Amino acid sequence: PQGWATLLDRALARNDSEGAYAGGRLPAVVGGLPVGNHVFVDGESHAGGCFGLALDGGEEGVQLDAVVSQGSVPFGPWLKITGVGGNHVITELDGQNPREVLLPLINGPDVPGDGHTMAGVFVDPTPVTSLPGTDASRASLALAAMEGRPNCLVRPMHHFTPEGYLVVSPLPEELPYAIGMQLQLHCHSSAHALNELRSRAEHDAAMHGGRPPDAAVVIACGARGSSLHGEEGVESKALRSAWGRDVPTVGFFAGGELGPVGLKTYLHGYTTSCLVIRG
């Protein structure tokens, strides 16, 4: 799935020496993997392949933006990964044993309420076609920050090994954990998920003069329904509250969600990824 996301990023970016985006607009790729790994089309079940829809505002003034909520808030300091063992085992943080570094933070006073502790890993935010340090790259990064796009990938932390190494969910297949990456703890909960989703939707509307979208596509993790919030329709109500009115919306629950972090598209978990459309 990550390979497809990278391919879409390259196809949507203007392929010039600066890596700039046409019209100054950032492409927005959202989507998801089906729960159960099957897709039903015309009464037939398919265990492979994909389908999608490309929307281009063109000269009609249609604006397409992404709102991505990973359902967590950061806490504690940034920590540098200084040792790895395999695709999802971190053996050293800031030159120290991960268990000795993280347990005081996980059990410390800065934890923002109840929830599950996760790892947020800062990833390269530059466009797939950009030249680092170019004016176009810097301008695109500034626009991504203004739009409120996330700047890290959040992954569940599983356990510590007997040696004190941290076992964490893998990053996308093309992006293994590596020495030099920066990590920050995050707290994931129903309250944080709703607050972040509402905040990002409100920020998106503020970027358009307070105007809500005319339509939206919402792909939510299957674990962010009633299993997280205790009842159905909670996130739909949060979006309606942020937008101030009902917005025509379609979507589905997914077992892995696609959405941008910085200027690249990544495969997420426990995430709600929205495409908001304004005509």
Side-chain angles (χ1 to χ4, degrees):
Q2 186 60 44
W4 277 101
T6 301
L7 183 64
L8 288 170
D9 283 343
R10 291 186 180 278
L12 292 171
R14 196 175 80 194
N15 190 17
D16 63 16
S17 61
E18 290 285 309
Y21 289 111
R25 296 191 302 267
L26 302 181
V29 177
V30 302
L33 309 182
V35 177
N37 297 320
H38 284 78
V39 175
F40 296 90
V41 181
D42 294 332
E44 296 185 4
S45 174
H46 300 267
C50 66
F51 64 90
L53 175 67
L55 302 175
D56 184 0
E59 299 179 358
E60 301 300 322
V62 176
Q63 294 179 299
L64 308 170
D65 300 290
V67 172
V68 177
S69 164
Q70 298 180 85
S72 58
V73 295
F75 69 95
W78 283 100
L79 303 166
K80 180 179 288 188
I81 297 176
T82 50
V84 294
N87 289 334
H88 57 101
V89 178
I90 297 173
T91 61
E92 198 175 82
L93 288 171
D94 280 351
Q96 303 176 63
N97 183 279
R99 181 168 54 201
E100 295 177 0
V101 174
L102 295 178
L103 281 183
L105 298 173
I106 294 171
N107 298 310
D110 294 331
V111 179
D114 296 330
H116 299 287
T117 303
M118 298 192 175
V121 181
F122 183 82
V123 294
D124 177 16
T126 55
V128 292
T129 59
S130 75
L131 298 177
T134 62
D135 290 340
S137 176
R138 285 190 289 266
S140 296
L141 281 174
L143 183 55
M146 289 176 61
E147 289 190 355
R149 293 187 176 197
N151 64 2
C152 65
L153 280 173
V154 177
R155 289 294 187 261
M157 294 165 47
H158 295 301
H159 63 272
F160 294 106
T161 68
E163 299 85 2
Y165 301 159
L166 174 64
V167 180
V168 63
S169 287
L171 296 171
E173 64 267 21
E174 296 180 358
L175 186 70
Y177 292 98
I179 292 174
M181 285 183 170
Q182 299 284 331
L183 176 150
Q184 187 179 30
L185 294 179
H186 282 61
C187 184
H188 175 88
S189 70
S190 172
H192 291 325
L194 290 175
N195 288 337
E196 188 202 16
L197 179 62
R198 188 182 297 110
S199 174
R200 292 193 181 278
E202 290 173 347
H203 181 90
D204 169 76
M207 289 292 295
H208 295 85
R211 177 188 170 194
D214 296 308
V217 180
V218 179
I219 293 92
C221 176
R224 280 185 64 147
S226 58
S227 59
L228 175 64
H229 301 300
E231 58 180 301
E232 297 179 352
V234 174
E235 295 201 355
S236 298
K237 293 177 183 176
L239 288 172
R240 187 182 302 116
S241 172
W243 292 332
R245 64 176 177 85
D246 288 327
V247 171
T249 303
V250 297
F252 58 90
F253 283 108
E257 306 76 48
L258 293 172
V261 173
L263 299 174
K264 293 190 180 80
T265 303
Y266 290 98
L267 181 65
H268 300 266
Y270 301 98
T271 293
T272 295
S273 189
C274 310
L275 177 69
V276 291
I277 305 167
R278 293 176 176 87

